Amino acid sequence: MYPKTNVTNKEYVQVLAMDFLAVAQQAAIASYPWVGKGNKLGADGAGTEAMRNQMNSIDMNGLIVIGEGEMDEAPMLYIGEELGTGVGPHVDIAVDPVEGTSLMAKGQDNSIAVIAVASRGSLLHAPDMYMKKIAVGPKAKGAINLNLSLTENMISVAKALGKDVSELIVMIQDRDRHEDLITQVFDLGARVKLFSDVDITGAIATAIEEVDIDILVGTGGAPEGVLAATALKCLGGDFQGQLVPQNQEEINRCMKMGISDPSKILTLDEIVKTDDCFFVATGITDGTLLKGVKKKEDGNMFTHSFIAVGGRSKNYQFIESRY
C-alpha cells in the first residue's frame, strides 16, 4: 500500500482517495447484474458487501458515520462499524453503495455508488431523516441563505454569477412538497430542471461548468446531504442544510447523534469541518454526470467515476477504468 511514515495525516487522507476509487468501482460492478431486475434489496446487498470487503483491505482506521443504518438495522456498513487494517489515518466514512436503488431496479438512469471520506470527527452524523438543502458552485459561494426564500436566493446567486435571474436553471426533485419552490422559479422567469431521485448528482452538477445547473434546492435525505456537502467542499462550492425531523422519535435521534438543535441551519463548514476530505462516485446506470457500468463481449467491465479531493486545488477528475 502507501508508506506509513514521513507523511502527514492530510497527505495520507488525500492519497487514500485512489484506494476508495477502487471501492466505489467494485460496488458498482457488483451491483450491475441487478440492473433492471426489480430487486432493490439484492442490488443493495451486492453493492454493500463488495464495498465493505474492499474497504477492509485499506490501510486505515475507518469509522462508518453514515451507512446502511444502525447496527441492529444493517449487518454491514452500519453506523459505528470500524473498517480497514487498523494501520493508517483515522477517518470518517459516509457511504451509499447504491444511491438510487429504485431507479436501478427499474433499469433507469442516475444510480451511483458513492463515498465521502474526511479526517476523524469531521463529518456531521446526520440521522436518516429529511433535510432542507440548497447547493451552488464556486462562483456563487457565500450567496445562499436557507433563512431566505428561494426567490431571494435566486436573485443573490444570479448577481454572483453575473446572470439575469431569468437565465438561472434550478434543479428540484419532482415531488408535491416542492410545488412552492417550482412556482417561485417560474415567477422569476427562470427555468426548472426536475429529477426523480438522487439529489447528490444535482448538487455536484452546480459546480461542474459543463453541466448547466446553477442551484439545487429542495428537501431530501439528510445522509445524502452530507455526501453532497463533502463533494462541494472539495469543489469549492457552497451548501446549507437544515434537518427536518417529522416527530419526537426523530428529534430524539438527533439528540442521540449529538445534534442538540435539530432546527439549526448548518453551513458547509459545520457539515464538513475540514478540507482533509474527498468524494468518490462511480456510475451504475447512465446519468447526468456519469456513464453506467458496461460489460463488453469479451467479459471486460468498464466503469466511469468521479473523484474530487479537498484542499487548495479544488480540482476533480472523471476516470474511465477497465476490469
Side-chain angles (χ1 to χ4, degrees):
M1 295 294 290
Y2 297 107
K4 303 176 181 63
T5 59
N6 300 322
V7 292
T8 65
N9 190 68
K10 178 177 181 178
E11 290 169 333
Y12 210 135
V13 168
Q14 291 178 333
V15 96
L16 279 176
M18 296 310 294
D19 279 339
F20 275 89
L21 172 64
V23 174
Q25 290 169 338
Q26 291 299 325
I29 289 170
S31 303
Y32 171 76
W34 298 91
V35 172
K37 297 292 183 67
N39 188 337
K40 295 192 296 184
L41 293 178
D44 197 53
T48 298
E49 184 173 6
M51 188 172 274
R52 182 177 184 268
N53 289 341
Q54 189 77 17
M55 278 197 281
N56 266 329
S57 70
I58 297 175
D59 285 344
M60 66 173 178
N61 291 273
L63 179 69
I64 298 293
V65 298
I66 289 174
E68 294 293 277
E70 303 289 349
M71 189 186 305
D72 56 353
E73 298 172 354
M76 293 184 287
L77 300 185
Y78 56 83
I79 297 169
E81 183 174 11
E82 297 181 358
L83 298 171
T85 64
V87 176
H90 291 73
V91 294
D92 286 348
I93 305 171
V95 300
D96 196 335
V98 183
E99 169 67 345
T101 51
S102 294
L103 297 175
M104 180 184 170
K106 297 173 184 177
Q108 295 178 329
D109 290 349
N110 280 315
S111 62
I112 56 175
V114 60
I115 309 166
V117 178
S119 52
R120 181 66 58 84
S122 299
L123 294 182
L124 176 73
H125 294 202
D128 189 7
M129 62 179 61
Y130 278 129
M131 173 188 273
K132 289 176 64 176
K133 313 171 189 179
I134 185 166
V136 292
K139 292 180 180 178
K141 185 174 179 64
I144 54 174
N145 185 344
L146 265 183
N147 274 314
L148 303 179
S149 67
L150 176 55
T151 298
E152 292 168 297
N153 275 288
M154 289 175 65
I155 292 169
S156 177
V157 169
K159 183 178 180 180
L161 296 178
K163 292 184 174 183
D164 187 90
V165 71
S166 64
E167 297 178 288
L168 293 180
I169 301 175
V170 184
M171 198 163 189
I172 302 174
Q173 192 174 23
D174 191 5
R175 296 290 189 271
D176 289 344
R177 63 179 178 269
H178 294 147
E179 285 184 9
D180 178 61
L181 296 176
I182 294 169
T183 298
Q184 290 183 64
V185 176
F186 290 155
D187 284 348
L188 286 179
R191 288 186 285 172
V192 162
K193 185 174 179 64
L194 298 179
F195 67 99
S196 61
D197 290 288
V198 188
D199 60 7
I200 295 173
T201 301
I204 295 170
T206 64
I208 307 297
E209 289 191 5
E210 294 81 3
V211 184
D212 288 331
I213 302 296
D214 297 304
I215 305 172
L216 173 115
V217 67
T219 301
E224 292 81 2
V226 176
L227 285 155
T230 306
L232 286 166
K233 187 75 177 262
C234 295
L235 295 166
D238 208 354
F239 182 98
Q240 288 188 6
Q242 181 182 34
L243 295 172
V244 188
Q246 303 293 298
N247 48 50
Q248 187 61 46
E249 180 182 349
E250 291 193 350
I251 293 173
N252 294 341
R253 193 170 186 189
C254 290
M255 302 295 181
K256 180 182 176 183
M257 298 182 80
I259 302 169
S260 58
D261 182 7
S263 65
K264 176 180 170 61
I265 290 176
L266 300 165
T267 66
L268 179 58
D269 289 340
E270 289 171 318
I271 298 170
V272 187
K273 299 182 180 71
T274 181
D275 287 329
D276 298 342
C277 58
F278 60 85
F279 173 92
V280 178
T282 298
I284 302 172
T285 57
D286 290 341
T288 303
L289 287 178
L290 294 168
K291 293 177 284 189
V293 176
K294 300 290 186 294
K295 185 175 183 179
K296 302 300 183 179
E297 290 183 2
D298 60 5
N300 285 325
M301 308 290 285
F302 285 80
T303 62
H304 189 216
S305 303
F306 174 85
I307 184 167
V309 180
R312 293 182 180 178
S313 60
K314 309 297 184 189
N315 61 5
Y316 61 87
Q317 292 177 287
F318 288 96
I319 298 173
E320 293 186 336
S321 304
R322 182 178 69 176
Y323 284 85

